Amino acid sequence: HCLPLSSQIYPIHLPRETRTRRALLICNIEFEHLSRRNGAEVDVEGMTKLLEGLGYVVDVHCNLTSEGMATVMKDFADHKEHWTSDSTFLVFMSHGVRAGLCGTKSTGKTTDILSLDTIYEKFNNKCCRALLHKPKVVIIQSCRGGNTGSVMVSDSADPAMPTPSSAHTIPAGLEDDAICEVHLESDFGTLHSSTPDTVSWRSPVTGSIFIQRLIEQFRNHACNSDLQEIFRKVQYSFEKFPRQLPSQERTTMLRKFYLFPGH
């Protein structure tokens, strides 16, 4: 028997006046040992305006170590406003490596790195009960390694030609929480600026290409498309830009998330 359509869509807190949507934006621009992320200021301004337009009060933090980022996340996860909210956005922008995001004291692959796992741990159903069953949208703008995302492909039928392998492994994030028997991790929707091991591109003048296109797609389609459809539109906008492809990962959305339902 089919579920009614309404149960396949995340409920939104109405009336708008009484809901307290909060978003977290962490952006590292200045680093002690790594290059300055010129143009990132534009990303911060653009994302803040976008999120405010979607009805979120945005907490903005810049230039933090990995420890500082973890502390800010914990404080944000503890906000009482999440109980009367219906969702949250968690936006991270920094230099990055395969393992995670660079803090301001990072010297490269191993020092001062915030593991991406930490994000999901701070906001999972055990640590952040106020956001249980609510969409948690994670946006990550960073490099994930030094490789260029494009590859020269040939139409040759020669089996010796390398075939691009799928770099996506889905982490096993489902286990029972002994206290109330819910998934430990659920209702996350994640869009990363690039696929694993590849770089992300940023203009010193106009900011990151990923953030620009994300803002454009949300502005045009948040009124009538659900979150994962907007993510797909962002990915599609990179079809003719082979150096970088945003990647939906660690997504545990059980329903469709419309920012403005009832449209």
Side-chain angles (χ1 to χ4, degrees):
H1 110 129
C2 289
L3 286 170
L5 195 60
S6 60
S7 69
Q8 296 178 46
I9 295 172
Y10 283 103
I12 294 300
H13 273 261
L14 295 169
R16 197 170 296 181
E17 299 73 46
T18 59
R19 77 175 171 220
T20 50
R21 282 181 172 174
R22 297 291 289 255
L24 176 65
L25 193 159
I26 294 176
C27 182
N28 287 342
I29 302 173
E30 308 269 0
F31 297 81
E32 289 184 18
H33 307 286
L34 306 175
S35 60
R36 188 178 194 279
R37 296 184 59 248
N38 295 319
E41 306 89 341
V42 184
D43 294 340
V44 172
E45 190 184 346
M47 278 307 295
T48 303
K49 273 187 185 157
L50 175 71
L51 291 167
E52 287 173 350
L54 296 173
Y56 294 85
V57 173
V58 188
D59 292 11
V60 180
H61 299 268
C62 293
N63 302 329
L64 301 173
T65 61
S66 55
E67 201 176 303
M69 289 191 268
T71 302
V72 160
M73 279 194 281
K74 185 186 184 312
D75 292 346
F76 183 77
D78 290 341
H79 267 320
K80 289 186 174 61
E81 285 92 337
H82 293 313
W83 291 101
T84 43
S85 176
D86 48 35
S87 55
T88 190
F89 273 74
L90 309 165
V91 182
F92 301 88
M93 310 188 221
S94 187
H95 283 306
V97 294
R98 182 72 162 87
L101 296 160
C102 296
T104 50
K105 293 183 184 298
S106 176
T107 54
K109 287 188 179 177
T110 52
T111 53
D112 198 20
I113 302 295
L114 177 82
S115 163
L116 297 185
D117 287 342
T118 307
I119 299 170
Y120 300 93
E121 285 159 10
K122 297 284 185 201
F123 293 94
N124 70 17
N125 295 326
K126 187 176 178 182
C127 293
C128 187
R129 297 294 299 280
L131 287 169
L132 179 68
H133 304 315
K134 299 172 184 179
K136 294 165 276 280
V137 184
V138 182
I139 306 288
I140 302 172
Q141 162 60 45
S142 76
C143 290
R144 310 180 70 182
N147 298 345
T148 304
S150 53
V151 58
M152 297 304 287
V153 289
S154 158
D155 286 333
S156 160
D158 181 355
M161 287 299 292
T163 55
S165 67
S166 166
H168 298 270
T169 54
I170 297 164
L174 295 183
E175 31 181 277
D176 288 333
D177 183 325
I179 301 163
C180 59
E181 294 285 308
V182 295
H183 295 302
L184 177 62
E185 179 177 314
S186 65
D187 310 294
F188 283 96
T190 307
L191 191 60
H192 215 302
S193 57
S194 61
T195 47
D197 298 313
T198 59
V199 295
S200 296
W201 297 86
R202 170 173 38 82
S203 155
V205 180
T206 54
S208 308
I209 299 173
F210 168 69
I211 296 294
Q212 288 171 48
R213 295 189 182 183
L214 182 103
I215 290 170
E216 182 185 352
Q217 295 302 327
F218 267 91
R219 288 226 165 102
N220 292 340
H221 301 290
C223 60
N224 57 15
S225 297
D226 72 275
L227 180 81
Q228 283 171 280
E229 177 61 15
I230 298 171
F231 279 1
R232 191 192 60 75
K233 290 176 190 295
V234 176
Q235 290 175 293
Y236 183 73
S237 76
F238 280 81
E239 189 186 32
K240 302 281 194 287
F241 187 73
R243 292 181 171 189
Q244 180 180 341
L245 182 63
S247 170
Q248 290 192 54
E249 293 174 28
R250 204 154 171 168
T251 293
T252 50
M253 287 271 181
L254 302 178
R255 297 175 171 81
K256 292 186 174 183
F257 177 32
Y258 287 93
L259 283 142
F260 302 102
H263 179 79

